[in-house]
Amino acid sequence: MLSEEQEIEIEVPPDETEGLVDVDGNDTTVDPLESGFLWYKPSRTVTEQRNTGGHKWTISGHDMQVLTSTVPPGDEFMTETGSFMYMHPQMTSEVELTLCGGKGGCAEGWSRICGGESCAKVMLRNPGSEEGYVGMTPNFPAKIIPVEFGVTVSPNSSLIAQGGSIMSQLGDVTVGCSLDCGFATCCCAGMGLCRQKITGGNSGVAFMAAGGTILQRDLQANETITVDGGSVVMFEDSVQLGIIPSGRLGMCCCGGEGCFNTTLSGPGKVWLQSMNFLKFQNAVRQTVMEDRQGADGDDGGGGDDYGGDGGGDFGGDAGDA
Protein backbone atom coordinates (compact mmCIF):
# COMPACT_ATOMS: atom_id res chain seq x y z
CA MET A 1 0.00 0.00 0.00
CA LEU A 2 1.20 3.53 -0.76
CA SER A 3 1.12 6.17 1.92
CA GLU A 4 -0.77 9.41 1.38
CA GLU A 5 2.55 11.29 1.20
CA GLN A 6 3.72 9.24 -1.78
CA GLU A 7 2.99 10.71 -5.17
CA ILE A 8 2.07 8.54 -8.08
CA GLU A 9 3.38 9.75 -11.40
CA ILE A 10 1.31 8.66 -14.37
CA GLU A 11 2.90 9.00 -17.76
CA VAL A 12 0.35 10.23 -20.28
CA PRO A 13 1.10 8.95 -23.79
CA PRO A 14 1.54 11.77 -26.31
CA ASP A 15 -1.06 12.42 -28.97
CA GLU A 16 0.07 10.28 -31.89
CA THR A 17 -1.27 12.79 -34.41
CA GLU A 18 0.23 15.88 -32.76
CA GLY A 19 2.49 17.73 -35.15
CA LEU A 20 1.83 15.32 -38.02
CA VAL A 21 -0.96 17.23 -39.77
CA ASP A 22 -0.24 20.34 -41.83
CA VAL A 23 -2.42 23.44 -42.26
CA ASP A 24 -4.49 21.75 -44.97
CA GLY A 25 -5.31 18.75 -42.75
CA ASN A 26 -2.93 16.39 -44.56
CA ASP A 27 -0.94 13.73 -42.70
CA THR A 28 2.66 14.54 -43.57
CA THR A 29 4.03 11.16 -42.43
CA VAL A 30 1.82 8.65 -44.27
CA ASP A 31 3.65 8.51 -47.57
CA PRO A 32 6.21 5.72 -47.20
CA LEU A 33 6.60 5.33 -50.97
CA GLU A 34 7.18 9.07 -51.44
CA SER A 35 4.44 9.22 -54.07
CA GLY A 36 3.60 12.82 -53.25
CA PHE A 37 0.00 11.97 -52.31
CA LEU A 38 -0.80 13.07 -48.75
CA TRP A 39 -3.62 11.57 -46.73
CA TYR A 40 -6.21 14.19 -45.79
CA LYS A 41 -7.24 13.70 -42.16
CA PRO A 42 -10.41 15.36 -40.84
CA SER A 43 -9.73 18.29 -38.51
CA ARG A 44 -10.08 17.56 -34.81
CA THR A 45 -13.04 19.27 -33.19
CA VAL A 46 -11.38 21.19 -30.34
CA THR A 47 -7.92 22.06 -31.60
CA GLU A 48 -9.03 22.92 -35.13
CA GLN A 49 -11.78 25.45 -34.34
CA ARG A 50 -11.67 28.21 -36.96
CA ASN A 51 -13.18 31.68 -37.24
CA THR A 52 -14.41 33.13 -40.52
CA GLY A 53 -16.16 36.50 -40.56
CA GLY A 54 -17.40 36.09 -36.97
CA HIS A 55 -18.57 32.50 -37.59
CA LYS A 56 -16.76 29.96 -35.41
CA TRP A 57 -16.90 26.53 -37.02
CA THR A 58 -15.68 22.99 -36.44
CA ILE A 59 -15.93 19.63 -38.21
CA SER A 60 -16.83 16.59 -36.09
CA GLY A 61 -16.41 12.88 -36.77
CA HIS A 62 -14.09 10.70 -38.80
CA ASP A 63 -16.48 9.88 -41.63
CA MET A 64 -19.98 11.05 -42.61
CA GLN A 65 -19.00 14.22 -40.80
CA VAL A 66 -20.92 17.14 -39.32
CA LEU A 67 -20.07 20.81 -39.80
CA THR A 68 -21.15 23.02 -36.87
CA SER A 69 -20.99 26.80 -37.14
CA THR A 70 -22.08 29.68 -34.97
CA VAL A 71 -24.22 32.41 -36.54
CA PRO A 72 -23.90 35.94 -35.07
CA PRO A 73 -27.10 37.96 -34.47
CA GLY A 74 -28.45 39.41 -37.72
CA ASP A 75 -26.19 37.18 -39.84
CA GLU A 76 -26.88 34.13 -41.99
CA PHE A 77 -25.36 30.84 -43.11
CA MET A 78 -25.72 29.67 -46.71
CA THR A 79 -25.89 25.96 -47.56
CA GLU A 80 -26.96 23.73 -50.42
CA THR A 81 -30.24 21.83 -50.47
CA GLY A 82 -30.42 18.58 -48.49
CA SER A 83 -27.49 19.29 -46.13
CA PHE A 84 -29.38 20.71 -43.11
CA MET A 85 -29.11 18.73 -39.85
CA TYR A 86 -29.99 21.01 -36.88
CA MET A 87 -30.06 24.66 -35.77
CA HIS A 88 -30.76 26.97 -32.83
CA PRO A 89 -34.52 27.42 -32.11
CA GLN A 90 -34.37 31.16 -32.84
CA MET A 91 -32.94 30.54 -36.32
CA THR A 92 -35.15 30.71 -39.40
CA SER A 93 -34.72 29.01 -42.78
CA GLU A 94 -35.58 30.43 -46.18
CA VAL A 95 -34.98 29.48 -49.80
CA GLU A 96 -33.50 31.89 -52.30
CA LEU A 97 -34.43 30.98 -55.88
CA THR A 98 -31.61 32.36 -57.98
CA LEU A 99 -33.55 31.89 -61.24
CA CYS A 100 -36.16 34.32 -59.93
CA GLY A 101 -33.68 37.12 -59.45
CA GLY A 102 -31.94 36.92 -56.09
CA LYS A 103 -28.75 38.79 -55.30
CA GLY A 104 -26.80 37.44 -58.27
CA GLY A 105 -29.62 37.68 -60.79
CA CYS A 106 -30.94 35.06 -63.16
CA ALA A 107 -27.44 34.49 -64.58
CA GLU A 108 -26.29 33.12 -61.22
CA GLY A 109 -29.09 30.55 -61.28
CA TRP A 110 -28.20 29.23 -64.73
CA SER A 111 -24.52 29.19 -63.82
CA ARG A 112 -25.25 27.13 -60.70
CA ILE A 113 -27.40 24.67 -62.66
CA CYS A 114 -24.76 24.20 -65.34
CA GLY A 115 -22.19 23.61 -62.60
CA GLY A 116 -24.22 20.77 -61.09
CA GLU A 117 -25.99 22.58 -58.24
CA SER A 118 -29.61 23.45 -57.61
CA CYS A 119 -30.90 26.91 -58.49
CA ALA A 120 -32.16 27.10 -54.88
CA LYS A 121 -29.94 28.22 -52.02
CA VAL A 122 -30.93 27.56 -48.40
CA MET A 123 -30.39 30.59 -46.14
CA LEU A 124 -30.30 29.95 -42.39
CA ARG A 125 -30.78 33.34 -40.73
CA ASN A 126 -30.43 34.51 -37.15
CA PRO A 127 -32.96 37.31 -36.51
CA GLY A 128 -32.50 37.20 -32.73
CA SER A 129 -30.21 39.03 -30.35
CA GLU A 130 -28.25 35.94 -29.26
CA GLU A 131 -25.62 33.95 -31.10
CA GLY A 132 -27.13 30.95 -32.88
CA TYR A 133 -25.74 27.77 -34.33
CA VAL A 134 -26.34 25.43 -37.27
CA GLY A 135 -25.28 21.89 -38.13
CA MET A 136 -24.71 20.66 -41.69
CA THR A 137 -23.85 17.25 -43.13
CA PRO A 138 -23.30 15.98 -46.70
CA ASN A 139 -26.35 14.39 -48.36
CA PHE A 140 -24.40 11.17 -49.00
CA PRO A 141 -21.79 9.34 -46.86
CA ALA A 142 -18.84 11.69 -47.18
CA LYS A 143 -16.12 13.68 -45.49
CA ILE A 144 -16.06 17.48 -45.41
CA ILE A 145 -13.07 19.32 -46.88
CA PRO A 146 -12.81 22.98 -45.80
CA VAL A 147 -11.07 25.03 -48.49
CA GLU A 148 -10.02 28.39 -47.06
CA PHE A 149 -9.19 30.90 -49.76
CA GLY A 150 -6.02 32.70 -48.73
CA VAL A 151 -4.89 29.71 -46.59
CA THR A 152 -5.52 26.42 -48.38
CA VAL A 153 -5.36 28.04 -51.83
CA SER A 154 -4.39 31.49 -53.06
CA PRO A 155 -6.87 34.34 -52.47
CA ASN A 156 -9.07 35.40 -55.38
CA SER A 157 -8.37 32.07 -57.09
CA SER A 158 -10.75 29.44 -58.43
CA LEU A 159 -11.32 25.72 -58.05
CA ILE A 160 -12.68 23.36 -60.72
CA ALA A 161 -14.78 20.68 -59.01
CA GLN A 162 -17.09 17.79 -59.75
CA GLY A 163 -20.71 18.89 -60.02
CA GLY A 164 -22.51 18.86 -56.68
CA SER A 165 -19.30 18.77 -54.61
CA ILE A 166 -19.88 21.94 -52.60
CA MET A 167 -21.98 21.57 -49.44
CA SER A 168 -21.87 24.96 -47.71
CA GLN A 169 -19.95 28.21 -47.76
CA LEU A 170 -18.94 31.14 -45.62
CA GLY A 171 -17.80 34.59 -46.63
CA ASP A 172 -16.82 35.65 -50.14
CA VAL A 173 -17.47 32.49 -52.19
CA THR A 174 -19.15 32.29 -55.61
CA VAL A 175 -20.46 29.05 -57.13
CA GLY A 176 -20.72 28.98 -60.91
CA CYS A 177 -19.55 27.00 -63.91
CA SER A 178 -16.61 26.78 -66.27
CA LEU A 179 -16.89 25.59 -69.88
CA ASP A 180 -14.40 23.05 -71.18
CA CYS A 181 -14.23 23.82 -74.90
CA GLY A 182 -11.81 20.99 -75.64
CA PHE A 183 -13.66 18.23 -77.49
CA ALA A 184 -11.48 15.42 -76.14
CA THR A 185 -11.45 16.50 -72.49
CA CYS A 186 -15.13 17.50 -72.25
CA CYS A 187 -16.15 14.09 -73.64
CA CYS A 188 -13.59 11.76 -72.05
CA ALA A 189 -11.95 13.39 -68.98
CA GLY A 190 -14.83 12.74 -66.60
CA MET A 191 -15.65 16.39 -65.82
CA GLY A 192 -18.06 17.11 -68.66
CA LEU A 193 -18.60 20.24 -70.72
CA CYS A 194 -19.90 22.41 -67.85
CA ARG A 195 -17.67 22.06 -64.80
CA GLN A 196 -18.37 23.50 -61.37
CA LYS A 197 -16.24 26.59 -60.68
CA ILE A 198 -15.80 27.93 -57.14
CA THR A 199 -14.18 31.32 -56.66
CA GLY A 200 -13.34 32.89 -53.30
CA GLY A 201 -11.82 36.00 -51.79
CA ASN A 202 -9.56 36.44 -48.78
CA SER A 203 -12.28 35.63 -46.24
CA GLY A 204 -14.11 32.82 -48.05
CA VAL A 205 -14.42 29.16 -47.08
CA ALA A 206 -15.96 26.49 -49.30
CA PHE A 207 -16.98 23.26 -47.55
CA MET A 208 -16.66 20.43 -50.07
CA ALA A 209 -18.01 16.87 -49.75
CA ALA A 210 -16.04 13.83 -50.91
CA GLY A 211 -16.38 10.10 -50.23
CA GLY A 212 -13.97 7.48 -48.95
CA THR A 213 -10.33 8.29 -48.33
CA ILE A 214 -9.20 11.75 -49.46
CA LEU A 215 -5.76 12.35 -50.95
CA GLN A 216 -4.19 15.67 -51.85
CA ARG A 217 -1.20 16.38 -54.04
CA ASP A 218 0.55 19.67 -54.76
CA LEU A 219 1.72 19.43 -58.37
CA GLN A 220 4.81 21.29 -59.42
CA ALA A 221 5.12 23.09 -62.75
CA ASN A 222 5.00 20.64 -65.70
CA GLU A 223 4.40 17.71 -63.34
CA THR A 224 1.69 15.34 -64.60
CA ILE A 225 -0.23 12.54 -62.91
CA THR A 226 -2.67 10.02 -64.42
CA VAL A 227 -5.86 9.40 -62.45
CA ASP A 228 -9.34 7.94 -62.77
CA GLY A 229 -11.64 10.77 -63.84
CA GLY A 230 -14.31 9.79 -61.33
CA SER A 231 -11.83 10.05 -58.46
CA VAL A 232 -11.18 13.77 -58.98
CA VAL A 233 -12.88 15.97 -56.37
CA MET A 234 -11.41 19.31 -57.41
CA PHE A 235 -8.26 21.07 -58.53
CA GLU A 236 -6.97 24.62 -58.78
CA ASP A 237 -7.71 26.38 -62.05
CA SER A 238 -3.96 26.57 -62.75
CA VAL A 239 -3.97 22.77 -63.26
CA GLN A 240 -4.36 21.58 -66.85
CA LEU A 241 -6.84 18.78 -67.57
CA GLY A 242 -6.06 16.19 -70.24
CA ILE A 243 -6.63 12.58 -71.30
CA ILE A 244 -4.48 9.60 -72.23
CA PRO A 245 -5.47 6.20 -73.69
CA SER A 246 -5.99 3.64 -70.95
CA GLY A 247 -4.21 0.97 -72.96
CA ARG A 248 -4.64 -1.24 -75.98
CA LEU A 249 -7.91 -2.66 -77.32
CA GLY A 250 -8.16 -5.37 -74.67
CA MET A 251 -7.67 -2.91 -71.83
CA CYS A 252 -10.14 -0.42 -73.31
CA CYS A 253 -12.83 -3.07 -73.71
CA CYS A 254 -12.30 -5.27 -70.68
CA GLY A 255 -10.22 -3.31 -68.16
CA GLY A 256 -13.16 -1.54 -66.58
CA GLU A 257 -11.64 1.93 -66.99
CA GLY A 258 -12.99 2.85 -70.40
CA CYS A 259 -10.92 4.05 -73.33
CA PHE A 260 -9.22 7.00 -71.60
CA ASN A 261 -7.73 7.99 -68.28
CA THR A 262 -7.52 11.56 -67.01
CA THR A 263 -4.27 13.52 -66.68
CA LEU A 264 -3.66 16.51 -64.42
CA SER A 265 -0.65 18.76 -65.01
CA GLY A 266 0.69 21.35 -62.56
CA PRO A 267 1.24 23.71 -61.05
CA GLY A 268 -1.55 23.54 -58.48
CA LYS A 269 -3.26 21.41 -55.84
CA VAL A 270 -5.38 18.36 -56.62
CA TRP A 271 -7.83 16.50 -54.35
CA LEU A 272 -8.85 12.87 -55.04
CA GLN A 273 -11.47 10.58 -53.46
CA SER A 274 -11.60 6.80 -53.27
CA MET A 275 -15.42 6.49 -53.27
CA ASN A 276 -17.31 8.98 -55.42
CA PHE A 277 -21.09 9.24 -55.28
CA LEU A 278 -21.66 7.30 -58.53
CA LYS A 279 -19.47 4.42 -57.35
CA PHE A 280 -21.34 4.40 -54.04
CA GLN A 281 -24.70 4.33 -55.85
CA ASN A 282 -23.60 1.42 -58.03
CA ALA A 283 -22.40 -0.55 -54.99
CA VAL A 284 -25.71 -0.02 -53.17
CA ARG A 285 -27.74 -0.85 -56.29
CA GLN A 286 -25.82 -4.09 -56.82
CA THR A 287 -26.35 -5.13 -53.19
CA VAL A 288 -30.07 -4.38 -53.32
CA MET A 289 -30.49 -6.29 -56.59
CA GLU A 290 -28.71 -9.34 -55.15
CA ASP A 291 -30.86 -9.21 -52.00
CA ARG A 292 -34.03 -8.93 -54.06
CA GLN A 293 -33.04 -11.87 -56.27
CA GLY A 294 -32.26 -13.95 -53.20
CA ALA A 295 -35.60 -13.06 -51.60
CA ASP A 296 -37.47 -13.90 -54.82
CA GLY A 297 -35.87 -17.34 -54.80
CA ASP A 298 -36.73 -17.95 -51.14
CA ASP A 299 -40.46 -17.13 -51.41
CA GLY A 300 -41.05 -18.57 -54.85
CA GLY A 301 -41.23 -15.24 -56.63
CA GLY A 302 -44.19 -13.89 -54.65
CA GLY A 303 -42.59 -10.60 -53.66
CA ASP A 304 -39.98 -9.70 -51.07
CA ASP A 305 -39.32 -7.48 -48.09
CA TYR A 306 -37.58 -4.80 -50.19
CA GLY A 307 -40.51 -3.90 -52.39
CA GLY A 308 -40.32 -6.67 -54.98
CA ASP A 309 -43.76 -5.75 -56.28
CA GLY A 310 -42.57 -2.23 -57.11
CA GLY A 311 -44.37 -0.65 -54.17
CA GLY A 312 -41.75 -0.99 -51.45
CA ASP A 313 -39.82 2.07 -50.29
CA PHE A 314 -36.45 0.38 -50.40
CA GLY A 315 -36.95 -0.95 -53.90
CA GLY A 316 -38.34 2.36 -55.14
CA ASP A 317 -35.43 4.36 -53.79
CA ALA A 318 -32.92 1.97 -55.27
CA GLY A 319 -34.59 2.23 -58.63
CA ASP A 320 -34.45 6.04 -58.48
CA ALA A 321 -30.74 5.85 -57.66
Side-chain angles (χ1 to χ4, degrees), residues 152-194:
T152 309
V153 295
S154 303
N156 300 315
S157 61
S158 297
L159 295 170
I160 306 299
Q162 290 280 5
S165 295
I166 189 168
M167 183 193 74
S168 303
Q169 64 188 65
L170 280 174
D172 183 13
V173 176
T174 302
V175 180
C177 72
S178 170
L179 295 179
D180 184 355
C181 297
F183 178 77
T185 51
C186 77
C187 293
C188 306
M191 301 291 287
L193 173 63
C194 297

Short mmCIF file of all heavy atoms in Angstrom, two decimals, residues 152-194:
data_model
loop_
_atom_site.label_atom_id
_atom_site.label_comp_id
_atom_site.label_asym_id
_atom_site.label_seq_id
_atom_site.Cartn_x
_atom_site.Cartn_y
_atom_site.Cartn_z
N THR A 152 -5.68 27.68 -47.65
CA THR A 152 -5.52 26.42 -48.38
C THR A 152 -5.09 26.67 -49.82
O THR A 152 -4.21 25.98 -50.34
CB THR A 152 -6.83 25.62 -48.37
OG1 THR A 152 -7.32 25.51 -47.03
CG2 THR A 152 -6.62 24.23 -48.94
N VAL A 153 -5.71 27.64 -50.46
CA VAL A 153 -5.36 28.04 -51.83
C VAL A 153 -5.17 29.55 -51.84
O VAL A 153 -5.49 30.25 -50.88
CB VAL A 153 -6.46 27.62 -52.84
CG1 VAL A 153 -6.56 26.12 -52.93
CG2 VAL A 153 -7.79 28.23 -52.46
N SER A 154 -4.67 30.06 -52.94
CA SER A 154 -4.39 31.49 -53.06
C SER A 154 -5.69 32.29 -53.03
O SER A 154 -6.73 31.82 -53.51
CB SER A 154 -3.64 31.79 -54.35
OG SER A 154 -2.43 31.05 -54.42
N PRO A 155 -5.66 33.51 -52.47
CA PRO A 155 -6.87 34.34 -52.47
C PRO A 155 -7.25 34.76 -53.88
O PRO A 155 -6.39 34.86 -54.76
CB PRO A 155 -6.47 35.55 -51.61
CG PRO A 155 -4.97 35.60 -51.70
CD PRO A 155 -4.52 34.17 -51.82
N ASN A 156 -8.54 34.98 -54.08
CA ASN A 156 -9.07 35.40 -55.38
C ASN A 156 -8.74 34.40 -56.49
O ASN A 156 -8.60 34.77 -57.65
CB ASN A 156 -8.55 36.79 -55.75
CG ASN A 156 -8.94 37.85 -54.73
OD1 ASN A 156 -10.08 37.90 -54.30
ND2 ASN A 156 -7.97 38.67 -54.33
N SER A 157 -8.61 33.13 -56.11
CA SER A 157 -8.37 32.07 -57.09
C SER A 157 -9.63 31.25 -57.26
O SER A 157 -10.65 31.50 -56.62
CB SER A 157 -7.21 31.18 -56.65
OG SER A 157 -7.51 30.55 -55.41
N SER A 158 -9.58 30.25 -58.14
CA SER A 158 -10.75 29.44 -58.43
C SER A 158 -10.41 27.96 -58.36
O SER A 158 -9.26 27.56 -58.57
CB SER A 158 -11.31 29.76 -59.82
OG SER A 158 -11.75 31.10 -59.90
N LEU A 159 -11.42 27.17 -58.05
CA LEU A 159 -11.32 25.72 -58.05
C LEU A 159 -12.27 25.16 -59.10
O LEU A 159 -13.38 25.66 -59.29
CB LEU A 159 -11.70 25.14 -56.69
CG LEU A 159 -10.82 25.48 -55.49
CD1 LEU A 159 -11.50 25.02 -54.21
CD2 LEU A 159 -9.45 24.85 -55.63
N ILE A 160 -11.83 24.12 -59.80
CA ILE A 160 -12.68 23.36 -60.72
C ILE A 160 -13.04 22.07 -60.01
O ILE A 160 -12.15 21.31 -59.60
CB ILE A 160 -11.98 23.08 -62.05
CG1 ILE A 160 -11.47 24.38 -62.69
CG2 ILE A 160 -12.91 22.35 -62.99
CD1 ILE A 160 -12.56 25.38 -63.00
N ALA A 161 -14.34 21.81 -59.83
CA ALA A 161 -14.78 20.68 -59.01
C ALA A 161 -15.82 19.85 -59.74
O ALA A 161 -16.46 20.31 -60.69
CB ALA A 161 -15.34 21.18 -57.68
N GLN A 162 -16.01 18.62 -59.25
CA GLN A 162 -17.09 17.79 -59.75
C GLN A 162 -18.43 18.43 -59.40
O GLN A 162 -18.58 19.04 -58.33
CB GLN A 162 -17.01 16.39 -59.13
CG GLN A 162 -15.84 15.55 -59.61
CD GLN A 162 -16.10 14.90 -60.97
OE1 GLN A 162 -17.12 15.16 -61.60
NE2 GLN A 162 -15.18 14.07 -61.42
N GLY A 163 -19.40 18.32 -60.28
CA GLY A 163 -20.71 18.89 -60.02
C GLY A 163 -21.33 18.36 -58.74
O GLY A 163 -21.30 17.15 -58.49
N GLY A 164 -21.89 19.25 -57.92
CA GLY A 164 -22.51 18.86 -56.68
C GLY A 164 -21.57 18.65 -55.52
O GLY A 164 -21.98 18.16 -54.47
N SER A 165 -20.28 19.04 -55.66
CA SER A 165 -19.30 18.77 -54.61
C SER A 165 -19.42 19.74 -53.43
O SER A 165 -19.13 19.37 -52.30
CB SER A 165 -17.88 18.84 -55.18
OG SER A 165 -17.65 17.82 -56.12
N ILE A 166 -19.84 20.97 -53.69
CA ILE A 166 -19.88 21.94 -52.60
C ILE A 166 -21.11 21.69 -51.73
O ILE A 166 -22.20 21.40 -52.21
CB ILE A 166 -19.87 23.39 -53.14
CG1 ILE A 166 -19.68 24.38 -51.99
CG2 ILE A 166 -21.12 23.70 -53.95
CD1 ILE A 166 -19.36 25.79 -52.43
N MET A 167 -20.91 21.80 -50.40
CA MET A 167 -21.98 21.57 -49.44
C MET A 167 -22.47 22.87 -48.82
O MET A 167 -23.66 23.13 -48.74
CB MET A 167 -21.50 20.61 -48.35
CG MET A 167 -22.57 20.24 -47.33
SD MET A 167 -21.91 19.42 -45.86
CE MET A 167 -21.15 20.81 -45.01
N SER A 168 -21.54 23.70 -48.35
CA SER A 168 -21.87 24.96 -47.71
C SER A 168 -20.75 25.95 -47.97
O SER A 168 -19.69 25.58 -48.49
CB SER A 168 -22.07 24.78 -46.19
OG SER A 168 -23.08 23.83 -45.91
N GLN A 169 -20.97 27.19 -47.56
CA GLN A 169 -19.95 28.21 -47.76
C GLN A 169 -20.10 29.31 -46.74
O GLN A 169 -21.17 29.54 -46.19
CB GLN A 169 -20.04 28.79 -49.17
CG GLN A 169 -21.34 29.54 -49.46
CD GLN A 169 -21.48 29.93 -50.90
OE1 GLN A 169 -21.58 29.07 -51.77
NE2 GLN A 169 -21.49 31.23 -51.16
N LEU A 170 -18.98 29.98 -46.48
CA LEU A 170 -18.94 31.14 -45.62
C LEU A 170 -18.14 32.24 -46.29
O LEU A 170 -17.13 31.96 -46.96
CB LEU A 170 -18.29 30.81 -44.27
CG LEU A 170 -19.13 30.10 -43.20
CD1 LEU A 170 -18.28 29.74 -42.00
CD2 LEU A 170 -20.31 30.97 -42.77
N GLY A 171 -18.56 33.47 -46.12
CA GLY A 171 -17.80 34.59 -46.63
C GLY A 171 -17.91 34.76 -48.14
O GLY A 171 -18.92 34.40 -48.76
N ASP A 172 -16.84 35.28 -48.72
CA ASP A 172 -16.82 35.65 -50.14
C ASP A 172 -16.54 34.42 -51.01
O ASP A 172 -15.38 34.14 -51.35
CB ASP A 172 -15.76 36.73 -50.36
CG ASP A 172 -15.73 37.23 -51.80
OD1 ASP A 172 -16.67 36.92 -52.55
OD2 ASP A 172 -14.76 37.93 -52.17
N VAL A 173 -17.59 33.68 -51.34
CA VAL A 173 -17.47 32.49 -52.19
C VAL A 173 -18.57 32.55 -53.25
O VAL A 173 -19.73 32.82 -52.93
CB VAL A 173 -17.60 31.18 -51.38
CG1 VAL A 173 -17.58 29.97 -52.31
CG2 VAL A 173 -16.49 31.07 -50.35
N THR A 174 -18.20 32.29 -54.50
CA THR A 174 -19.15 32.29 -55.61
C THR A 174 -19.14 30.93 -56.28
O THR A 174 -18.07 30.40 -56.61
CB THR A 174 -18.80 33.37 -56.64
OG1 THR A 174 -18.79 34.65 -56.01
CG2 THR A 174 -19.81 33.39 -57.77
N VAL A 175 -20.32 30.35 -56.47
CA VAL A 175 -20.46 29.05 -57.13
C VAL A 175 -21.01 29.28 -58.53
O VAL A 175 -22.06 29.90 -58.70
CB VAL A 175 -21.41 28.13 -56.33
CG1 VAL A 175 -21.53 26.78 -57.04
CG2 VAL A 175 -20.90 27.94 -54.91
N GLY A 176 -20.29 28.82 -59.53
CA GLY A 176 -20.72 28.98 -60.91
C GLY A 176 -20.27 27.82 -61.75
O GLY A 176 -20.18 26.68 -61.27
N CYS A 177 -19.97 28.07 -63.02
CA CYS A 177 -19.55 27.00 -63.91
C CYS A 177 -18.43 27.48 -64.81
O CYS A 177 -18.23 28.68 -65.01
CB CYS A 177 -20.71 26.47 -64.74
SG CYS A 177 -21.27 27.60 -66.04
N SER A 178 -17.70 26.53 -65.34
CA SER A 178 -16.61 26.78 -66.27
C SER A 178 -16.80 25.85 -67.46
O SER A 178 -17.03 24.65 -67.29
CB SER A 178 -15.25 26.53 -65.61
OG SER A 178 -14.21 26.55 -66.55
N LEU A 179 -16.71 26.39 -68.67
CA LEU A 179 -16.89 25.59 -69.88
C LEU A 179 -15.57 25.01 -70.34
O LEU A 179 -14.58 25.73 -70.46
CB LEU A 179 -17.51 26.44 -70.99
CG LEU A 179 -18.93 26.96 -70.76
CD1 LEU A 179 -19.37 27.81 -71.94
CD2 LEU A 179 -19.90 25.81 -70.53
N ASP A 180 -15.57 23.72 -70.59
CA ASP A 180 -14.40 23.05 -71.18
C ASP A 180 -14.66 22.92 -72.67
O ASP A 180 -15.44 22.08 -73.12
CB ASP A 180 -14.21 21.67 -70.55
CG ASP A 180 -12.96 20.97 -71.04
OD1 ASP A 180 -12.29 21.52 -71.95
OD2 ASP A 180 -12.65 19.88 -70.52
N CYS A 181 -14.00 23.77 -73.45
CA CYS A 181 -14.23 23.82 -74.90
C CYS A 181 -13.38 22.82 -75.67
O CYS A 181 -13.45 22.78 -76.90
CB CYS A 181 -13.99 25.23 -75.43
SG CYS A 181 -15.12 26.46 -74.73
N GLY A 182 -12.59 22.01 -74.97
CA GLY A 182 -11.81 20.99 -75.64
C GLY A 182 -12.65 19.77 -75.90
O GLY A 182 -13.21 19.19 -74.96
N PHE A 183 -12.78 19.36 -77.15
CA PHE A 183 -13.66 18.23 -77.49
C PHE A 183 -13.24 16.96 -76.77
O PHE A 183 -14.07 16.22 -76.23
CB PHE A 183 -13.66 18.01 -79.00
CG PHE A 183 -14.49 16.84 -79.45
CD1 PHE A 183 -15.88 16.95 -79.52
CD2 PHE A 183 -13.90 15.63 -79.77
CE1 PHE A 183 -16.66 15.86 -79.90
CE2 PHE A 183 -14.67 14.54 -80.15
CZ PHE A 183 -16.05 14.66 -80.23
N ALA A 184 -11.95 16.67 -76.73
CA ALA A 184 -11.48 15.42 -76.14
C ALA A 184 -11.70 15.40 -74.63
O ALA A 184 -12.21 14.42 -74.07
CB ALA A 184 -10.00 15.22 -76.46
N THR A 185 -11.34 16.49 -73.94
CA THR A 185 -11.45 16.50 -72.49
C THR A 185 -12.90 16.59 -72.02
O THR A 185 -13.28 15.97 -71.03
CB THR A 185 -10.64 17.66 -71.89
OG1 THR A 185 -11.00 18.88 -72.55
CG2 THR A 185 -9.16 17.42 -72.07
N CYS A 186 -13.74 17.37 -72.71
CA CYS A 186 -15.13 17.50 -72.25
C CYS A 186 -15.88 16.19 -72.43
O CYS A 186 -16.84 15.91 -71.71
CB CYS A 186 -15.83 18.65 -72.96
SG CYS A 186 -16.34 18.30 -74.66
N CYS A 187 -15.46 15.35 -73.39
CA CYS A 187 -16.15 14.09 -73.64
C CYS A 187 -15.56 12.92 -72.84
O CYS A 187 -16.29 11.99 -72.49
CB CYS A 187 -16.11 13.75 -75.13
SG CYS A 187 -17.05 14.86 -76.19
N CYS A 188 -14.25 12.96 -72.56
CA CYS A 188 -13.59 11.76 -72.05
C CYS A 188 -12.83 11.94 -70.74
O CYS A 188 -12.29 10.96 -70.22
CB CYS A 188 -12.60 11.24 -73.11
SG CYS A 188 -13.33 10.96 -74.74
N ALA A 189 -12.75 13.17 -70.19
CA ALA A 189 -11.95 13.39 -68.98
C ALA A 189 -12.73 13.19 -67.70
O ALA A 189 -12.15 13.24 -66.62
CB ALA A 189 -11.33 14.78 -69.01
N GLY A 190 -14.05 13.00 -67.79
CA GLY A 190 -14.83 12.74 -66.60
C GLY A 190 -15.41 13.95 -65.91
O GLY A 190 -16.10 13.82 -64.91
N MET A 191 -15.14 15.17 -66.44
CA MET A 191 -15.65 16.39 -65.82
C MET A 191 -16.81 17.00 -66.61
O MET A 191 -17.53 17.84 -66.09
CB MET A 191 -14.54 17.42 -65.68
CG MET A 191 -13.35 16.97 -64.85
SD MET A 191 -13.73 16.77 -63.10
CE MET A 191 -13.87 18.47 -62.57
N GLY A 192 -16.98 16.60 -67.85
CA GLY A 192 -18.06 17.11 -68.66
C GLY A 192 -17.76 18.45 -69.30
O GLY A 192 -16.67 19.02 -69.15
N LEU A 193 -18.74 18.96 -70.05
CA LEU A 193 -18.60 20.24 -70.72
C LEU A 193 -18.70 21.40 -69.74
O LEU A 193 -17.89 22.33 -69.76
CB LEU A 193 -19.68 20.39 -71.80
CG LEU A 193 -19.79 21.76 -72.49
CD1 LEU A 193 -18.53 22.09 -73.26
CD2 LEU A 193 -21.01 21.78 -73.40
N CYS A 194 -19.71 21.36 -68.86
CA CYS A 194 -19.90 22.41 -67.85
C CYS A 194 -19.38 21.91 -66.51
O CYS A 194 -19.94 20.98 -65.93
CB CYS A 194 -21.37 22.79 -67.74
SG CYS A 194 -22.07 23.49 -69.25
#
